[in-house]
Amino acid sequence: MKIAVIGAGAMGLRYGILLQEAGNAVDFVEPWMPSYRAIREQGGVYVSRDHQNQHLVPANVYRPDDYTQTPDLVILFTKQMQSEEAMEACHHFIGDRTYVLTNQNGIGSIASIRRYVPDERIIAGIALIATVLDAPGKVDFMGAKGAGHTQLVNVTEKPDAFTHEVVREFERAGMNPTLQTNYLGTLWGKLLMNSVINTLCTLMDLTMGEYVAYSGADDLSRRLIAEGYAAGVADGVHFMQSREEMLQIINHESSQVNPLHHPSMYQDMVNARPTEVDYINGHIVKTAKKHGLEAKSHEMLVDLLHLAERAKQLQSAN
């Protein structure tokens, strides 16, 4: 399969490298100049696993304007706030049979993709794979080989032959895919998890394991889950887990799968980059207000995250 990955950050690199190692022809299309330059100068991507065995993996990288091939599959893995600009810069190489897949955190990029691709060729989903970008062109895969899993879902909720082919390639790449047929339920499940773990670990400078080990973590998580669940149900989401099942997933992923991991929002914060909080907790707040509901805990977290972003910017300036 010919694959173009838009965005050579932590997750874009992990998806692209794993799919390349499984035998696919993968190109990275990188709008972020520091990453593009690093990969070009290095002749590839430095990959390590759990901070060990760093090695150079050859990789093709292009600027959006320079990429003229027509891939079978495009994987969009920029940050949510960059999706619109990335799709605008890259839509010229999306052919009339090209599918676009996104497993980004938060909800929002599908609207950007829909401007250029019909729903029948959009695959969404979620990633439960911990990855850290140590520097431009240097990525650290967290967990043993084959750790983590993904969930893929067609926006139409009707899997076709190409979608099944994508699932097979994900399986060959060790990404443990599950094909779902509940579009919003799939995305909102990860949204609720991120709204708890990403945001609180970032604000409190905690690993996932440290958060769930706190004696009051379950009560905090339940409060946030309840607000998110109410907003989603009002918006027509058919959740795939109950509130209590969602709590158990959060606790399992945090204590057993990635206890030492700092989530992606934390990585953005420490590097003085804007976070995706508006597309995670902020999406819950916006959805709740649309239906005359309140999500005050999430609203407070959005405000606190933006305050923390500003504080980090001031510290960096000094």
Side-chain angles (χ1 to χ4, degrees), residues 14-89:
R14 185 156 187 172
Y15 272 50
I17 295 299
L18 289 176
L19 288 165
Q20 177 176 286
E21 290 177 343
N24 295 282
V26 175
D27 297 319
F28 293 97
V29 182
E30 179 58 288
W32 188 38
M33 187 59 76
S35 178
Y36 167 78
R37 286 175 176 162
I39 296 171
R40 282 295 296 267
E41 291 170 2
Q42 297 165 178
V45 178
Y46 281 103
V47 178
S48 56
R49 187 177 292 278
D50 292 331
H51 314 300
Q52 298 180 353
N53 189 31
Q54 186 177 87
H55 60 286
L56 184 66
V57 176
N60 300 322
V61 65
Y62 300 84
R63 295 287 293 158
D65 289 346
D66 298 330
Y67 193 67
T68 58
Q69 301 180 49
T70 303
D72 302 308
L73 176 68
V74 167
I75 300 177
L76 177 63
F77 244 134
T78 61
K79 295 294 184 180
Q80 282 281 357
M81 67 284 285
Q82 301 162 346
S83 296
E84 184 71 31
E85 184 177 358
M87 288 301 298
E88 174 66 28

Coordinates of all heavy atoms in Angstrom, one line a residue, residues 14-89:
R14 N 5.4 7.1 14.5 CA 5.2 5.7 15.0 C 4.4 4.9 13.9 O 4.7 3.8 13.5 CB 4.6 5.6 16.3 CG 4.5 4.1 16.8 CD 4.4 4.1 18.3 NE 4.5 2.7 18.8 CZ 4.6 2.4 20.1 NH1 4.7 3.3 21.0 NH2 4.7 1.1 20.5
Y15 N 3.3 5.5 13.5 CA 2.4 4.8 12.6 C 3.2 4.6 11.3 O 3.2 3.5 10.7 CB 1.2 5.7 12.2 CG 0.0 5.5 13.1 CD1 0.2 5.5 14.5 CD2 -1.3 5.3 12.6 CE1 -0.9 5.3 15.4 CE2 -2.4 5.1 13.4 CZ -2.2 5.1 14.8 OH -3.3 4.9 15.6
G16 N 3.9 5.7 10.8 CA 4.6 5.5 9.5 C 5.7 4.5 9.6 O 5.8 3.7 8.6
I17 N 6.5 4.5 10.6 CA 7.6 3.6 10.7 C 7.1 2.2 10.8 O 7.7 1.3 10.1 CB 8.6 4.0 11.9 CG1 9.2 5.3 11.7 CG2 9.6 2.9 12.1 CD1 10.1 5.4 10.5
L18 N 6.1 1.9 11.6 CA 5.6 0.6 11.8 C 5.0 0.1 10.5 O 5.2 -1.1 10.1 CB 4.6 0.5 12.9 CG 5.1 0.7 14.3 CD1 4.0 0.7 15.4 CD2 6.1 -0.4 14.7
L19 N 4.3 0.9 9.8 CA 3.7 0.5 8.5 C 4.7 0.3 7.5 O 4.6 -0.6 6.6 CB 2.6 1.5 8.1 CG 1.3 1.5 8.9 CD1 0.5 2.8 8.7 CD2 0.5 0.3 8.6
Q20 N 5.8 1.1 7.5 CA 6.9 0.9 6.6 C 7.6 -0.4 6.8 O 7.9 -1.2 5.9 CB 7.9 2.1 6.7 CG 9.1 2.0 5.8 CD 10.0 3.2 5.9 OE1 9.7 4.2 5.4 NE2 11.1 3.1 6.6
E21 N 7.9 -0.7 8.1 CA 8.5 -2.0 8.5 C 7.7 -3.2 8.1 O 8.2 -4.3 7.9 CB 8.9 -2.0 9.9 CG 10.0 -1.0 10.3 CD 10.3 -0.9 11.8 OE1 9.4 -1.4 12.6 OE2 11.4 -0.4 12.2
A22 N 6.4 -3.0 8.0 CA 5.5 -4.1 7.6 C 5.4 -4.3 6.1 O 4.7 -5.1 5.6 CB 4.1 -3.8 8.1
G23 N 6.2 -3.4 5.3 CA 6.3 -3.6 3.9 C 5.6 -2.6 3.0 O 5.5 -2.8 1.8
N24 N 5.0 -1.6 3.7 CA 4.3 -0.6 2.9 C 5.2 0.5 2.4 O 6.3 0.7 3.1 CB 3.2 0.0 3.7 CG 2.1 -0.9 4.1 OD1 1.2 -1.3 3.3 ND2 2.1 -1.5 5.3
A25 N 4.9 1.2 1.3 CA 5.7 2.3 0.8 C 5.2 3.6 1.5 O 4.1 4.0 1.2 CB 5.6 2.4 -0.7
V26 N 6.0 4.1 2.5 CA 5.5 5.2 3.3 C 6.3 6.5 3.0 O 7.6 6.4 3.0 CB 5.6 4.9 4.8 CG1 5.2 6.1 5.7 CG2 4.7 3.7 5.1
D27 N 5.7 7.6 2.8 CA 6.3 8.9 2.7 C 5.7 9.8 3.8 O 4.5 9.7 4.1 CB 6.0 9.6 1.4 CG 6.5 8.8 0.2 OD1 7.7 8.3 0.3 OD2 5.8 8.7 -0.8
F28 N 6.6 10.6 4.4 CA 6.2 11.6 5.4 C 6.1 12.9 4.7 O 7.0 13.3 4.0 CB 7.1 11.7 6.6 CG 7.2 10.4 7.4 CD1 8.1 9.4 7.2 CD2 6.2 10.2 8.4 CE1 8.1 8.3 8.0 CE2 6.2 9.1 9.2 CZ 7.2 8.1 9.0
V29 N 4.9 13.6 4.9 CA 4.8 14.9 4.4 C 4.7 15.9 5.6 O 3.7 15.8 6.4 CB 3.5 15.0 3.5 CG1 3.3 16.4 3.0 CG2 3.5 14.0 2.4
E30 N 5.7 16.7 5.8 CA 5.9 17.4 7.1 C 5.8 18.9 6.9 O 6.7 19.5 6.4 CB 7.2 17.0 7.7 CG 7.5 17.7 9.0 CD 6.5 17.5 10.1 OE1 5.4 18.0 9.9 OE2 6.8 16.8 11.1
P31 N 4.7 19.5 7.4 CA 4.6 21.0 7.4 C 5.5 21.7 8.3 O 5.8 22.9 8.1 CB 3.1 21.2 7.8 CG 2.4 19.9 7.6 CD 3.4 18.9 7.9
W32 N 5.9 21.0 9.4 CA 6.8 21.7 10.4 C 8.2 21.6 10.0 O 8.8 20.5 9.9 CB 6.6 20.9 11.7 CG 7.2 21.6 12.9 CD1 7.3 23.0 13.1 CD2 7.9 21.0 14.0 NE1 8.0 23.2 14.3 CE2 8.4 22.0 14.9 CE3 8.1 19.7 14.4 CZ2 9.0 21.8 16.0 CZ3 8.8 19.4 15.5 CH2 9.3 20.4 16.4
M33 N 8.8 22.8 9.7 CA 10.1 22.8 9.1 C 11.2 22.2 9.9 O 12.1 21.5 9.4 CB 10.5 24.3 8.8 CG 11.8 24.5 8.0 SD 11.8 23.6 6.4 CE 10.7 24.7 5.4
P34 N 11.3 22.4 11.3 CA 12.4 21.8 12.1 C 12.4 20.2 11.9 O 13.5 19.6 11.8 CB 12.1 22.2 13.5 CG 11.3 23.5 13.4 CD 10.5 23.3 12.1
S35 N 11.2 19.6 11.9 CA 11.1 18.2 11.7 C 11.6 17.8 10.3 O 12.3 16.8 10.1 CB 9.7 17.7 12.0 OG 9.6 16.3 11.8
Y36 N 11.1 18.5 9.3 CA 11.5 18.2 7.9 C 13.0 18.3 7.7 O 13.6 17.4 7.2 CB 10.8 19.2 7.0 CG 11.3 19.2 5.6 CD1 11.0 18.2 4.7 CD2 12.2 20.2 5.1 CE1 11.5 18.2 3.4 CE2 12.7 20.2 3.8 CZ 12.3 19.2 3.0 OH 12.8 19.2 1.7
R37 N 13.6 19.3 8.2 CA 15.0 19.5 8.1 C 15.8 18.4 8.8 O 16.8 17.9 8.3 CB 15.4 20.9 8.6 CG 15.1 22.0 7.7 CD 15.4 23.4 8.4 NE 15.1 24.5 7.5 CZ 15.0 25.7 7.9 NH1 15.1 26.0 9.2 NH2 14.7 26.7 7.0
A38 N 15.4 18.1 10.0 CA 16.1 17.0 10.8 C 16.1 15.7 10.1 O 17.1 15.0 9.9 CB 15.5 16.9 12.2
I39 N 14.9 15.3 9.6 CA 14.8 14.0 8.9 C 15.6 14.0 7.6 O 16.3 13.0 7.3 CB 13.3 13.7 8.6 CG1 12.6 13.5 10.0 CG2 13.2 12.4 7.8 CD1 11.1 13.4 9.8
R40 N 15.6 15.1 6.9 CA 16.4 15.2 5.6 C 17.9 15.1 5.9 O 18.6 14.4 5.3 CB 16.0 16.5 4.9 CG 14.8 16.5 4.1 CD 14.8 15.5 3.0 NE 15.8 15.8 2.0 CZ 15.6 16.6 0.9 NH1 14.3 17.1 0.7 NH2 16.5 16.8 0.0
E41 N 18.3 15.9 6.9 CA 19.7 15.9 7.2 C 20.3 14.6 7.8 O 21.4 14.2 7.5 CB 20.0 17.0 8.2 CG 19.8 18.4 7.6 CD 19.9 19.6 8.6 OE1 20.1 19.3 9.8 OE2 19.7 20.7 8.2
Q42 N 19.4 13.9 8.6 CA 19.8 12.6 9.2 C 19.7 11.5 8.2 O 20.3 10.4 8.4 CB 18.9 12.3 10.4 CG 18.9 13.3 11.5 CD 17.8 13.1 12.5 OE1 17.8 13.8 13.5 NE2 16.8 12.3 12.2
G43 N 18.9 11.7 7.1 CA 18.6 10.6 6.2 C 17.6 9.6 6.7 O 17.5 8.5 6.3
G44 N 16.8 10.0 7.7 CA 15.8 9.2 8.3 C 15.4 9.6 9.7 O 15.6 10.8 10.1
V45 N 14.8 8.7 10.4 CA 14.3 9.0 11.7 C 15.0 8.1 12.8 O 15.2 6.9 12.6 CB 12.8 8.7 11.8 CG1 12.2 8.9 13.2 CG2 12.0 9.5 10.8
Y46 N 15.5 8.8 13.8 CA 16.1 8.0 14.9 C 15.0 7.5 15.8 O 14.1 8.2 16.3 CB 17.0 8.9 15.8 CG 18.4 9.1 15.1 CD1 18.7 10.3 14.5 CD2 19.3 8.1 15.2 CE1 19.9 10.5 13.9 CE2 20.6 8.3 14.6 CZ 20.9 9.4 13.9 OH 22.1 9.6 13.3
V47 N 15.0 6.1 16.0 CA 13.9 5.4 16.7 C 14.5 4.7 17.9 O 15.5 4.0 17.8 CB 13.2 4.4 15.8 CG1 12.1 3.7 16.6 CG2 12.5 5.2 14.6
S48 N 13.9 4.9 19.0 CA 14.3 4.1 20.2 C 13.0 3.5 20.8 O 11.9 3.9 20.4 CB 15.0 4.9 21.2 OG 14.3 6.1 21.6
R49 N 13.2 2.6 21.7 CA 12.1 2.0 22.4 C 12.4 2.0 23.9 O 13.4 1.4 24.3 CB 11.8 0.5 21.9 CG 10.5 -0.1 22.5 CD 10.2 -1.4 21.9 NE 9.9 -1.4 20.5 CZ 8.6 -1.2 20.1 NH1 7.7 -0.9 20.9 NH2 8.4 -1.2 18.8
D50 N 11.5 2.7 24.6 CA 11.7 2.8 26.1 C 13.1 3.3 26.4 O 13.8 2.8 27.3 CB 11.5 1.5 26.8 CG 10.0 1.1 26.8 OD1 9.1 2.0 26.7 OD2 9.7 -0.1 26.8
H51 N 13.6 4.3 25.6 CA 14.8 5.0 25.8 C 16.1 4.2 25.5 O 17.2 4.5 25.9 CB 15.0 5.5 27.3 CG 13.8 6.3 27.8 ND1 13.2 7.4 27.2 CD2 12.9 6.0 28.8 CE1 12.2 7.8 27.8 NE2 12.0 7.0 28.8
Q52 N 15.9 3.1 24.8 CA 17.0 2.2 24.5 C 17.1 1.9 23.0 O 16.1 2.0 22.3 CB 16.9 0.8 25.3 CG 16.9 1.0 26.8 CD 16.7 -0.3 27.5 OE1 16.5 -1.3 26.9 NE2 16.9 -0.3 28.8
N53 N 18.3 1.4 22.6 CA 18.5 0.9 21.2 C 18.1 2.0 20.2 O 17.5 1.7 19.2 CB 17.8 -0.4 21.0 CG 18.1 -1.0 19.7 OD1 19.3 -0.9 19.2 ND2 17.2 -1.7 19.0
Q54 N 18.6 3.2 20.3 CA 18.3 4.2 19.3 C 19.0 3.9 18.0 O 20.2 3.6 18.0 CB 18.7 5.6 19.8 CG 18.3 6.7 18.9 CD 18.7 8.1 19.4 OE1 19.8 8.6 19.1 NE2 17.8 8.7 20.1
H55 N 18.3 3.9 16.9 CA 18.9 3.6 15.6 C 18.2 4.4 14.5 O 17.1 4.8 14.7 CB 18.7 2.1 15.4 CG 17.3 1.6 15.3 ND1 16.6 1.4 16.5 CD2 16.5 1.2 14.3 CE1 15.4 1.0 16.2 NE2 15.3 0.9 14.9
L56 N 18.9 4.5 13.4 CA 18.4 5.3 12.3 C 17.5 4.5 11.4 O 18.1 3.5 10.9 CB 19.5 6.0 11.6 CG 19.1 7.0 10.5 CD1 18.4 8.2 11.0 CD2 20.3 7.4 9.7
V57 N 16.3 4.9 11.2 CA 15.5 4.2 10.2 C 15.3 5.1 9.0 O 14.8 6.2 9.1 CB 14.1 3.9 10.8 CG1 13.1 3.3 9.7 CG2 14.2 3.0 12.0
P58 N 15.8 4.6 7.8 CA 15.6 5.5 6.6 C 14.2 5.8 6.4 O 13.2 5.0 6.6 CB 16.1 4.6 5.5 CG 17.0 3.6 6.2 CD 16.4 3.4 7.5
A59 N 13.9 7.1 6.0 CA 12.5 7.6 5.8 C 12.5 8.7 4.7 O 13.5 9.5 4.7 CB 12.0 8.1 7.1
N60 N 11.5 8.6 3.9 CA 11.3 9.7 2.9 C 10.5 10.8 3.5 O 9.5 10.5 4.2 CB 10.6 9.2 1.7 CG 11.3 8.0 1.0 OD1 12.5 8.1 0.8 ND2 10.6 7.1 0.5
V61 N 10.9 12.1 3.3 CA 10.2 13.2 3.9 C 10.1 14.3 2.8 O 11.1 14.5 2.1 CB 10.8 13.7 5.2 CG1 12.2 14.3 5.0 CG2 9.9 14.7 5.9
Y62 N 8.9 14.9 2.8 CA 8.7 16.0 1.8 C 8.0 17.1 2.4 O 7.3 17.0 3.4 CB 7.8 15.4 0.7 CG 8.3 14.3 -0.1 CD1 8.1 13.0 0.4 CD2 8.9 14.4 -1.3 CE1 8.6 11.9 -0.3 CE2 9.4 13.3 -2.1 CZ 9.2 12.1 -1.6 OH 9.7 11.0 -2.3
R63 N 8.2 18.3 1.9 CA 7.3 19.5 2.2 C 6.0 19.3 1.4 O 6.0 18.7 0.3 CB 8.0 20.8 1.8 CG 9.3 21.0 2.6 CD 9.0 21.5 4.0 NE 8.3 22.7 4.0 CZ 7.6 23.2 5.0 NH1 7.4 22.4 6.1 NH2 7.0 24.4 5.0
P64 N 4.9 19.8 1.9 CA 3.6 19.6 1.2 C 3.7 20.1 -0.2 O 3.1 19.4 -1.1 CB 2.7 20.5 2.1 CG 3.2 20.4 3.4 CD 4.7 20.5 3.3
D65 N 4.3 21.2 -0.5 CA 4.3 21.7 -1.9 C 5.1 20.8 -2.8 O 4.9 20.8 -4.1 CB 4.8 23.1 -2.0 CG 3.9 24.2 -1.4 OD1 2.7 23.8 -1.1 OD2 4.4 25.3 -1.1
D66 N 6.0 20.0 -2.3 CA 6.9 19.2 -3.1 C 6.4 17.8 -3.4 O 7.0 17.1 -4.1 CB 8.3 19.2 -2.5 CG 9.0 20.5 -2.4 OD1 8.7 21.4 -3.2 OD2 9.7 20.7 -1.4
Y67 N 5.3 17.4 -2.7 CA 4.9 16.1 -2.8 C 3.8 16.0 -3.9 O 2.8 16.6 -3.8 CB 4.3 15.6 -1.5 CG 4.1 14.1 -1.4 CD1 5.1 13.2 -1.4 CD2 2.8 13.6 -1.4 CE1 5.0 11.8 -1.4 CE2 2.6 12.2 -1.3 CZ 3.7 11.3 -1.3 OH 3.5 10.0 -1.3
T68 N 4.1 15.2 -4.9 CA 3.2 15.1 -6.1 C 2.7 13.7 -6.3 O 2.0 13.5 -7.3 CB 3.9 15.6 -7.3 OG1 5.1 14.8 -7.5 CG2 4.3 17.1 -7.2
Q69 N 3.0 12.7 -5.5 CA 2.5 11.4 -5.7 C 1.1 11.3 -5.2 O 0.6 12.2 -4.5 CB 3.4 10.4 -4.9 CG 4.9 10.4 -5.4 CD 5.7 9.4 -4.6 OE1 5.4 8.3 -4.5 NE2 6.9 9.9 -4.1
T70 N 0.4 10.2 -5.6 CA -1.0 10.0 -5.2 C -1.1 8.7 -4.4 O -1.1 7.6 -4.9 CB -1.9 9.9 -6.4 OG1 -1.8 11.1 -7.2 CG2 -3.4 9.7 -6.0
P71 N -1.1 8.8 -3.1 CA -1.1 7.6 -2.2 C -2.5 6.9 -2.2 O -3.5 7.6 -2.5 CB -0.8 8.2 -0.9 CG -1.3 9.6 -0.9 CD -1.1 10.1 -2.3
D72 N -2.5 5.7 -1.8 CA -3.7 5.0 -1.6 C -4.4 5.5 -0.3 O -5.6 5.5 -0.2 CB -3.5 3.5 -1.4 CG -2.8 2.9 -2.7 OD1 -3.3 3.1 -3.8 OD2 -1.7 2.3 -2.5
L73 N -3.5 5.8 0.7 CA -4.0 6.1 2.1 C -3.2 7.3 2.6 O -2.0 7.3 2.5 CB -3.8 5.0 3.0 CG -4.2 5.2 4.5 CD1 -5.7 5.5 4.7 CD2 -3.8 4.1 5.4
V74 N -3.9 8.3 3.1 CA -3.3 9.4 3.7 C -3.6 9.3 5.2 O -4.8 9.1 5.6 CB -3.8 10.8 3.2 CG1 -3.3 12.0 4.1 CG2 -3.2 11.0 1.8
I75 N -2.6 9.4 6.1 CA -2.8 9.4 7.5 C -2.5 10.8 8.0 O -1.4 11.3 7.9 CB -2.0 8.4 8.2 CG1 -2.2 7.0 7.7 CG2 -2.2 8.5 9.8 CD1 -1.4 5.9 8.3
L76 N -3.5 11.5 8.6 CA -3.4 12.8 9.1 C -3.1 12.7 10.6 O -3.9 12.2 11.4 CB -4.7 13.6 8.9 CG -4.7 15.1 9.5 CD1 -3.6 15.9 8.8 CD2 -6.1 15.7 9.4
F77 N -1.9 13.2 11.0 CA -1.4 13.1 12.4 C -0.8 14.4 12.8 O 0.2 14.4 13.6 CB -0.5 11.9 12.6 CG -1.1 10.9 13.5 CD1 -1.1 9.6 13.2 CD2 -1.7 11.3 14.7 CE1 -1.7 8.6 14.1 CE2 -2.3 10.4 15.6 CZ -2.3 9.0 15.3
T78 N -1.3 15.6 12.4 CA -0.9 16.8 13.0 C -1.7 17.0 14.3 O -2.6 16.2 14.6 CB -1.2 18.0 12.1 OG1 -2.6 18.0 11.8 CG2 -0.5 17.9 10.7
K79 N -1.4 18.0 15.0 CA -2.3 18.4 16.1 C -3.6 18.9 15.6 O -3.7 19.4 14.5 CB -1.6 19.5 17.0 CG -0.3 19.0 17.7 CD -0.6 18.0 18.8 CE 0.7 17.6 19.5 NZ 0.4 16.6 20.5
Q80 N -4.6 18.8 16.4 CA -6.0 19.2 15.9 C -6.0 20.6 15.4 O -6.6 20.9 14.4 CB -7.0 19.0 17.1 CG -7.4 17.6 17.4 CD -8.5 17.1 16.4 OE1 -8.9 17.8 15.5 NE2 -8.8 15.9 16.5
M81 N -5.4 21.5 16.1 CA -5.4 22.9 15.7 C -4.7 23.2 14.4 O -4.8 24.3 13.8 CB -4.9 23.9 16.8 CG -3.4 23.7 17.1 SD -3.0 22.3 18.0 CE -3.5 22.7 19.7
Q82 N -3.9 22.2 13.9 CA -3.2 22.4 12.7 C -3.9 21.6 11.5 O -3.4 21.7 10.4 CB -1.8 21.8 12.8 CG -1.0 22.5 13.9 CD 0.2 21.7 14.4 OE1 0.3 20.5 14.1 NE2 1.1 22.4 15.2
S83 N -5.0 21.0 11.8 CA -5.6 20.1 10.7 C -6.1 20.9 9.5 O -5.8 20.5 8.4 CB -6.8 19.3 11.3 OG -6.3 18.5 12.4
E84 N -6.7 22.0 9.8 CA -7.3 22.8 8.7 C -6.1 23.2 7.7 O -6.2 23.1 6.5 CB -8.0 24.0 9.2 CG -8.7 24.8 8.1 CD -9.9 24.1 7.5 OE1 -10.6 23.3 8.2 OE2 -10.2 24.4 6.3
E85 N -5.1 23.8 8.3 CA -4.0 24.3 7.5 C -3.3 23.1 6.8 O -2.9 23.3 5.6 CB -3.0 25.0 8.4 CG -1.8 25.7 7.6 CD -0.9 26.4 8.6 OE1 -1.2 26.5 9.8 OE2 0.1 27.0 8.1
A86 N -3.1 22.0 7.4 CA -2.5 20.9 6.8 C -3.3 20.3 5.7 O -2.7 20.0 4.6 CB -2.3 19.8 7.9
M87 N -4.6 20.2 5.8 CA -5.4 19.7 4.7 C -5.4 20.7 3.5 O -5.4 20.2 2.4 CB -6.8 19.4 5.2 CG -7.0 18.2 6.1 SD -6.4 16.6 5.3 CE -7.6 16.6 3.9
E88 N -5.4 21.9 3.8 CA -5.4 22.9 2.8 C -4.1 22.8 2.0 O -4.0 22.9 0.7 CB -5.5 24.3 3.3 CG -5.3 25.5 2.4 CD -6.3 25.6 1.3 OE1 -7.5 25.1 1.6 OE2 -6.0 26.1 0.2
A89 N -2.9 22.6 2.7 CA -1.6 22.5 2.0 C -1.4 21.2 1.3 O -0.6 21.1 0.4 CB -0.5 22.7 3.1

